[in-house]
Amino acid sequence: MAQEDRNQRPSGKTPVGKGRSGTSPKTSRVPTEAQRTAVGSGPKGSARQRQSVAPGSSGGNNRTQLIIWGAAIAVIVAVIVVGIVWNISNNKVENAGYGTAAKSTVTMDANGIITMSVGAPTASFDVYEDPLCPYCADFERKYGQQIAQAVDDGKVAVNYHLLNFLDQGSGSGDYSSRATGAMMCAATNIGSTPGAWASLHSKLYEDGVQPTENSVSDMTNEQLAQYVTGAATGAGLAPDAAPVTAAVSCVNSGAMLPTVTTAYNVSAATLTQLVGGVRSPVIVSNGALVDPGQTTWLSTITG
């Protein structure tokens, strides 16, 4: 509100009471027209009139400010509530407590695609992921157990396309390639043992196991081989069983690295068509992208 003008003496003749000489001439007590105008309804109004308007305007402004502040607070509260709900939903672990797909077995084709299933389910989807990708770890943490149950129940098969485009983000400079090779070695040697490969896959994405992207260190082949052995023995194989020793030898020698390159080239061509380049994780069903932000995506695929 514009600041009010200072009170001015009402315009008119010299106030009654004193003349220029200082004497007090006799005057009528009846106010003149000029005096009545100054007191009651002059062009600018009297001081009393201005004071009667100002409080009313101030009260209106105060009410408006209260309404604005109330609306602002309501918006802030709503944003906070939505943020809390979104955070809870985003961090919820689906089917928490189920574990890995203990009934599942895997096969690998010539292009390095690893298929995990139980029986011959009619539904399937594809996962493109890099072992160093933190968002892939988030996907596994949130949906891995839900996927495991759907696989164990024979509802769906999962085709894993393992990538190595994050090699340069690893301390060794080739972790993604070597970890992908380790999972391929496990698939071809212990993949027929129920639950073995699924356990290894889940383990390599665990917090505290998966190396941090752009860190100065990661796992050696020997350490990767230890996780392969742990997954095999956890599934019931003896550590010195032929499939286990063959898988360990495969990891340590890097025997699968040529297949890793082949798999990447095939996946990169597909991803370029789907999303315009190579990134992860990317989920695909029947040739169409799946939005894992929609928590019902898996039930939509499995029906």
Side-chain angles (χ1 to χ4, degrees):
M1 182 179 67
Q3 184 176 357
E4 295 287 345
D5 294 335
R6 294 179 180 176
N7 292 345
Q8 298 177 353
R9 182 181 301 276
S11 60
K13 297 181 179 180
T14 302
V16 176
K18 290 186 179 181
R20 291 182 181 274
S21 63
T23 60
S24 299
K26 292 181 181 180
T27 59
S28 171
R29 292 181 180 273
V30 178
T32 66
E33 183 65 26
Q35 288 172 324
R36 285 197 295 270
T37 299
V39 173
S41 57
K44 293 185 179 180
S46 67
R48 181 179 299 175
Q49 286 178 315
R50 290 198 297 272
Q51 289 171 355
S52 70
V53 172
S57 299
S58 177
N61 285 341
N62 287 341
R63 286 192 296 272
T64 301
Q65 290 174 355
L66 287 174
I67 292 172
I68 293 173
W69 277 107
I73 292 172
V75 170
I76 292 171
V77 171
V79 170
I80 292 173
V81 170
V82 170
I84 291 173
V85 171
W86 180 87
N87 188 58
I88 292 173
S89 175
N90 191 56
N91 290 291
K92 179 185 176 184
V93 176
E94 302 294 334
N95 285 32
Y98 184 83
T100 58
K103 299 177 184 179
S104 68
T105 58
V106 301
T107 58
M108 188 176 81
D109 68 12
N111 290 324
I113 301 172
I114 298 172
T115 300
M116 180 173 71
S117 64
V118 172
T122 56
S124 66
F125 64 93
D126 297 79
V127 179
Y128 293 80
E129 60 184 17
D130 187 301
L132 193 62
C133 167
Y135 302 108
C136 299
D138 289 342
F139 175 81
E140 178 64 23
R141 175 193 58 79
K142 184 173 182 178
Y143 293 115
Q145 296 182 75
Q146 185 184 38
I147 293 171
Q149 184 170 3
V151 170
D152 277 349
D153 290 345
K155 294 181 178 180
V156 69
V158 187
N159 303 310
Y160 288 97
H161 304 254
L162 302 176
L163 306 168
N164 63 341
F165 71 100
L166 291 177
D167 268 344
Q168 71 275 13
S170 64
S172 63
D174 61 357
Y175 173 77
S176 294
S177 292
R178 292 185 296 105
T180 292
M183 283 191 272
M184 290 180 174
C185 288
T188 55
N189 289 283
I190 61 174
S192 60
T193 301
W197 190 88
S199 176
L200 173 66
H201 175 262
S202 178
K203 175 63 70 173
L204 292 184
Y205 282 111
E206 277 187 10
D207 186 31
V209 175
Q210 182 192 43
T212 303
E213 189 178 1
N214 297 319
S215 63
V216 297
S217 63
D218 48 56
M219 281 187 272
T220 64
N221 284 346
E222 289 74 17
Q223 290 171 314
L224 286 167
Q226 289 175 1
Y227 281 113
V228 171
T229 300
T233 56
L237 293 172
D240 58 351
V244 180
T245 57
V248 168
S249 176
C250 176
V251 174
N252 286 327
S253 67
M256 282 292 172
L257 291 181
T259 306
V260 171
T261 300
T262 298
Y264 172 80
N265 290 335
V266 172
S267 295
T270 302
L271 288 172
T272 299
Q273 292 180 344
L274 287 170
V275 296
V278 178
R279 61 181 176 85
S280 64
V282 174
I283 318 302
V284 180
S285 176
N286 293 323
L289 291 176
V290 173
D291 180 9
Q294 300 294 325
T295 56
T296 58
W297 68 271
L298 183 56
S299 60
T300 299
I301 292 174
T302 60

Short mmCIF file of all heavy atoms in Angstrom, two decimals, residues 99-135:
data_model
loop_
_atom_site.label_atom_id
_atom_site.label_comp_id
_atom_site.label_asym_id
_atom_site.label_seq_id
_atom_site.Cartn_x
_atom_site.Cartn_y
_atom_site.Cartn_z
N GLY A 99 14.39 -64.15 -1.57
CA GLY A 99 15.72 -64.65 -1.91
C GLY A 99 15.91 -64.78 -3.41
O GLY A 99 15.18 -64.18 -4.20
N THR A 100 16.88 -65.58 -3.80
CA THR A 100 17.18 -65.76 -5.23
C THR A 100 16.36 -66.90 -5.82
O THR A 100 15.70 -67.64 -5.09
CB THR A 100 18.67 -66.05 -5.43
OG1 THR A 100 19.03 -67.23 -4.70
CG2 THR A 100 19.52 -64.89 -4.92
N ALA A 101 16.42 -67.03 -7.15
CA ALA A 101 15.62 -68.06 -7.84
C ALA A 101 16.28 -69.42 -7.66
O ALA A 101 17.06 -69.88 -8.52
CB ALA A 101 15.50 -67.70 -9.32
N ALA A 102 15.98 -70.08 -6.55
CA ALA A 102 16.66 -71.32 -6.17
C ALA A 102 16.33 -72.50 -7.09
O ALA A 102 17.09 -73.47 -7.16
CB ALA A 102 16.31 -71.68 -4.73
N LYS A 103 15.23 -72.43 -7.83
CA LYS A 103 14.84 -73.52 -8.71
C LYS A 103 15.34 -73.33 -10.14
O LYS A 103 15.24 -74.24 -10.96
CB LYS A 103 13.31 -73.64 -8.76
CG LYS A 103 12.66 -73.93 -7.41
CD LYS A 103 11.14 -73.96 -7.56
CE LYS A 103 10.45 -74.15 -6.23
NZ LYS A 103 8.96 -74.15 -6.37
N SER A 104 15.86 -72.16 -10.42
CA SER A 104 16.17 -71.81 -11.80
C SER A 104 17.46 -72.41 -12.31
O SER A 104 18.41 -72.64 -11.55
CB SER A 104 16.25 -70.29 -11.93
OG SER A 104 17.38 -69.80 -11.23
N THR A 105 17.51 -72.63 -13.60
CA THR A 105 18.74 -73.01 -14.29
C THR A 105 18.94 -72.00 -15.43
O THR A 105 18.01 -71.24 -15.77
CB THR A 105 18.67 -74.42 -14.87
OG1 THR A 105 17.55 -74.51 -15.77
CG2 THR A 105 18.49 -75.45 -13.75
N VAL A 106 20.15 -71.98 -16.00
CA VAL A 106 20.41 -71.04 -17.09
C VAL A 106 21.09 -71.74 -18.26
O VAL A 106 21.75 -72.77 -18.10
CB VAL A 106 21.30 -69.86 -16.62
CG1 VAL A 106 20.65 -69.09 -15.48
CG2 VAL A 106 22.69 -70.33 -16.24
N THR A 107 20.91 -71.15 -19.42
CA THR A 107 21.62 -71.56 -20.63
C THR A 107 22.20 -70.30 -21.27
O THR A 107 21.73 -69.18 -21.02
CB THR A 107 20.67 -72.25 -21.63
OG1 THR A 107 19.60 -71.36 -21.97
CG2 THR A 107 20.10 -73.53 -21.03
N MET A 108 23.21 -70.45 -22.11
CA MET A 108 23.80 -69.32 -22.81
C MET A 108 23.93 -69.64 -24.29
O MET A 108 24.42 -70.72 -24.65
CB MET A 108 25.17 -68.97 -22.22
CG MET A 108 25.75 -67.67 -22.79
SD MET A 108 27.33 -67.19 -22.03
CE MET A 108 28.46 -68.24 -22.95
N ASP A 109 23.52 -68.70 -25.14
CA ASP A 109 23.61 -68.95 -26.58
C ASP A 109 24.92 -68.39 -27.13
O ASP A 109 25.77 -67.88 -26.39
CB ASP A 109 22.40 -68.36 -27.32
CG ASP A 109 22.35 -66.84 -27.31
OD1 ASP A 109 23.35 -66.19 -26.93
OD2 ASP A 109 21.30 -66.28 -27.69
N ALA A 110 25.11 -68.51 -28.44
CA ALA A 110 26.38 -68.11 -29.07
C ALA A 110 26.65 -66.63 -28.96
O ALA A 110 27.80 -66.19 -29.07
CB ALA A 110 26.36 -68.53 -30.54
N ASN A 111 25.61 -65.82 -28.74
CA ASN A 111 25.77 -64.38 -28.60
C ASN A 111 25.95 -63.93 -27.15
O ASN A 111 25.94 -62.73 -26.86
CB ASN A 111 24.58 -63.66 -29.22
CG ASN A 111 24.55 -63.77 -30.73
OD1 ASN A 111 25.59 -63.76 -31.39
ND2 ASN A 111 23.35 -63.88 -31.29
N GLY A 112 26.10 -64.91 -26.27
CA GLY A 112 26.34 -64.60 -24.87
C GLY A 112 25.10 -64.22 -24.08
O GLY A 112 25.21 -63.73 -22.95
N ILE A 113 23.92 -64.43 -24.64
CA ILE A 113 22.68 -64.12 -23.91
C ILE A 113 22.39 -65.26 -22.95
O ILE A 113 22.33 -66.44 -23.34
CB ILE A 113 21.50 -63.94 -24.88
CG1 ILE A 113 21.79 -62.82 -25.86
CG2 ILE A 113 20.21 -63.67 -24.11
CD1 ILE A 113 20.77 -62.70 -26.98
N ILE A 114 22.25 -64.93 -21.68
CA ILE A 114 22.02 -65.93 -20.63
C ILE A 114 20.53 -65.92 -20.28
O ILE A 114 19.99 -64.90 -19.86
CB ILE A 114 22.87 -65.62 -19.39
CG1 ILE A 114 24.36 -65.68 -19.76
CG2 ILE A 114 22.55 -66.59 -18.26
CD1 ILE A 114 25.28 -65.21 -18.65
N THR A 115 19.88 -67.07 -20.44
CA THR A 115 18.46 -67.19 -20.17
C THR A 115 18.23 -67.98 -18.89
O THR A 115 18.70 -69.11 -18.76
CB THR A 115 17.72 -67.87 -21.34
OG1 THR A 115 17.90 -67.09 -22.52
CG2 THR A 115 16.24 -68.00 -21.04
N MET A 116 17.52 -67.36 -17.95
CA MET A 116 17.20 -68.00 -16.67
C MET A 116 15.72 -68.36 -16.66
O MET A 116 14.87 -67.51 -16.93
CB MET A 116 17.53 -67.05 -15.51
CG MET A 116 17.24 -67.63 -14.14
SD MET A 116 17.82 -66.54 -12.79
CE MET A 116 16.64 -65.18 -12.90
N SER A 117 15.42 -69.61 -16.30
CA SER A 117 14.02 -70.04 -16.32
C SER A 117 13.84 -71.30 -15.50
O SER A 117 14.81 -71.93 -15.05
CB SER A 117 13.55 -70.29 -17.76
OG SER A 117 14.30 -71.37 -18.32
N VAL A 118 12.58 -71.65 -15.32
CA VAL A 118 12.18 -72.95 -14.76
C VAL A 118 11.13 -73.50 -15.70
O VAL A 118 10.08 -72.87 -15.90
CB VAL A 118 11.62 -72.81 -13.34
CG1 VAL A 118 11.04 -74.15 -12.86
CG2 VAL A 118 12.69 -72.32 -12.36
N GLY A 119 11.38 -74.65 -16.30
CA GLY A 119 10.44 -75.20 -17.25
C GLY A 119 10.44 -74.41 -18.54
O GLY A 119 11.49 -73.94 -19.00
N ALA A 120 9.24 -74.23 -19.11
CA ALA A 120 9.12 -73.54 -20.39
C ALA A 120 8.02 -72.48 -20.30
O ALA A 120 6.92 -72.65 -20.86
CB ALA A 120 8.81 -74.54 -21.50
N PRO A 121 8.29 -71.39 -19.61
CA PRO A 121 7.26 -70.34 -19.47
C PRO A 121 6.98 -69.67 -20.82
O PRO A 121 7.84 -69.60 -21.69
CB PRO A 121 7.89 -69.35 -18.49
CG PRO A 121 9.37 -69.57 -18.63
CD PRO A 121 9.55 -71.02 -18.92
N THR A 122 5.75 -69.19 -20.96
CA THR A 122 5.36 -68.55 -22.22
C THR A 122 5.74 -67.06 -22.23
O THR A 122 5.88 -66.47 -23.31
CB THR A 122 3.84 -68.67 -22.43
OG1 THR A 122 3.15 -68.12 -21.29
CG2 THR A 122 3.44 -70.14 -22.57
N ALA A 123 5.91 -66.46 -21.07
CA ALA A 123 6.27 -65.04 -21.00
C ALA A 123 7.77 -64.89 -20.77
O ALA A 123 8.41 -65.75 -20.16
CB ALA A 123 5.51 -64.36 -19.86
N SER A 124 8.32 -63.79 -21.28
CA SER A 124 9.75 -63.53 -21.08
C SER A 124 10.01 -62.03 -21.20
O SER A 124 9.18 -61.28 -21.72
CB SER A 124 10.60 -64.29 -22.10
OG SER A 124 10.37 -63.79 -23.40
N PHE A 125 11.16 -61.61 -20.73
CA PHE A 125 11.61 -60.23 -20.94
C PHE A 125 13.13 -60.21 -20.94
O PHE A 125 13.78 -61.18 -20.54
CB PHE A 125 11.03 -59.27 -19.90
CG PHE A 125 11.47 -59.53 -18.48
CD1 PHE A 125 12.58 -58.88 -17.95
CD2 PHE A 125 10.76 -60.40 -17.66
CE1 PHE A 125 12.98 -59.10 -16.64
CE2 PHE A 125 11.15 -60.62 -16.35
CZ PHE A 125 12.26 -59.97 -15.83
N ASP A 126 13.69 -59.12 -21.43
CA ASP A 126 15.13 -58.99 -21.58
C ASP A 126 15.66 -57.88 -20.68
O ASP A 126 15.04 -56.81 -20.56
CB ASP A 126 15.49 -58.67 -23.03
CG ASP A 126 15.09 -59.79 -23.98
OD1 ASP A 126 13.89 -59.88 -24.34
OD2 ASP A 126 15.97 -60.56 -24.38
N VAL A 127 16.82 -58.13 -20.06
CA VAL A 127 17.47 -57.15 -19.21
C VAL A 127 18.86 -56.86 -19.77
O VAL A 127 19.67 -57.78 -19.93
CB VAL A 127 17.60 -57.65 -17.75
CG1 VAL A 127 18.30 -56.60 -16.89
CG2 VAL A 127 16.23 -57.98 -17.17
N TYR A 128 19.13 -55.60 -20.07
CA TYR A 128 20.45 -55.17 -20.52
C TYR A 128 21.13 -54.47 -19.34
O TYR A 128 20.61 -53.47 -18.82
CB TYR A 128 20.34 -54.20 -21.71
CG TYR A 128 19.79 -54.85 -22.96
CD1 TYR A 128 18.42 -55.05 -23.13
CD2 TYR A 128 20.65 -55.25 -23.99
CE1 TYR A 128 17.92 -55.64 -24.28
CE2 TYR A 128 20.16 -55.84 -25.15
CZ TYR A 128 18.80 -56.04 -25.28
OH TYR A 128 18.30 -56.62 -26.43
N GLU A 129 22.27 -55.00 -18.90
CA GLU A 129 22.90 -54.46 -17.69
C GLU A 129 24.41 -54.61 -17.75
O GLU A 129 24.94 -55.47 -18.44
CB GLU A 129 22.34 -55.16 -16.45
CG GLU A 129 22.58 -56.65 -16.43
CD GLU A 129 21.95 -57.35 -15.23
OE1 GLU A 129 21.06 -56.77 -14.59
OE2 GLU A 129 22.36 -58.50 -14.94
N ASP A 130 25.08 -53.75 -16.99
CA ASP A 130 26.53 -53.79 -16.85
C ASP A 130 26.85 -54.10 -15.39
O ASP A 130 26.25 -53.50 -14.49
CB ASP A 130 27.12 -52.42 -17.26
CG ASP A 130 28.65 -52.42 -17.31
OD1 ASP A 130 29.28 -52.72 -16.27
OD2 ASP A 130 29.19 -52.10 -18.38
N PRO A 131 27.78 -55.01 -15.09
CA PRO A 131 28.08 -55.38 -13.71
C PRO A 131 28.53 -54.22 -12.83
O PRO A 131 28.44 -54.30 -11.60
CB PRO A 131 29.20 -56.42 -13.85
CG PRO A 131 29.02 -56.98 -15.21
CD PRO A 131 28.54 -55.84 -16.05
N LEU A 132 29.02 -53.13 -13.45
CA LEU A 132 29.48 -51.98 -12.66
C LEU A 132 28.39 -50.92 -12.50
O LEU A 132 28.56 -49.99 -11.72
CB LEU A 132 30.71 -51.35 -13.32
CG LEU A 132 31.52 -50.35 -12.49
CD1 LEU A 132 32.10 -50.98 -11.24
CD2 LEU A 132 32.63 -49.72 -13.34
N CYS A 133 27.29 -51.07 -13.19
CA CYS A 133 26.24 -50.05 -13.21
C CYS A 133 25.50 -49.98 -11.87
O CYS A 133 24.86 -50.95 -11.46
CB CYS A 133 25.26 -50.37 -14.34
SG CYS A 133 23.73 -49.44 -14.28
N PRO A 134 25.55 -48.83 -11.18
CA PRO A 134 24.86 -48.71 -9.89
C PRO A 134 23.34 -48.75 -10.04
O PRO A 134 22.64 -49.21 -9.14
CB PRO A 134 25.34 -47.35 -9.35
CG PRO A 134 25.77 -46.58 -10.56
CD PRO A 134 26.31 -47.60 -11.52
N TYR A 135 22.82 -48.28 -11.18
CA TYR A 135 21.38 -48.31 -11.39
C TYR A 135 20.89 -49.74 -11.65
O TYR A 135 19.75 -50.08 -11.33
CB TYR A 135 21.00 -47.39 -12.55
CG TYR A 135 21.43 -45.97 -12.33
CD1 TYR A 135 22.49 -45.43 -13.06
CD2 TYR A 135 20.83 -45.17 -11.37
CE1 TYR A 135 22.91 -44.12 -12.85
CE2 TYR A 135 21.25 -43.87 -11.15
CZ TYR A 135 22.29 -43.35 -11.89
OH TYR A 135 22.72 -42.07 -11.65
#
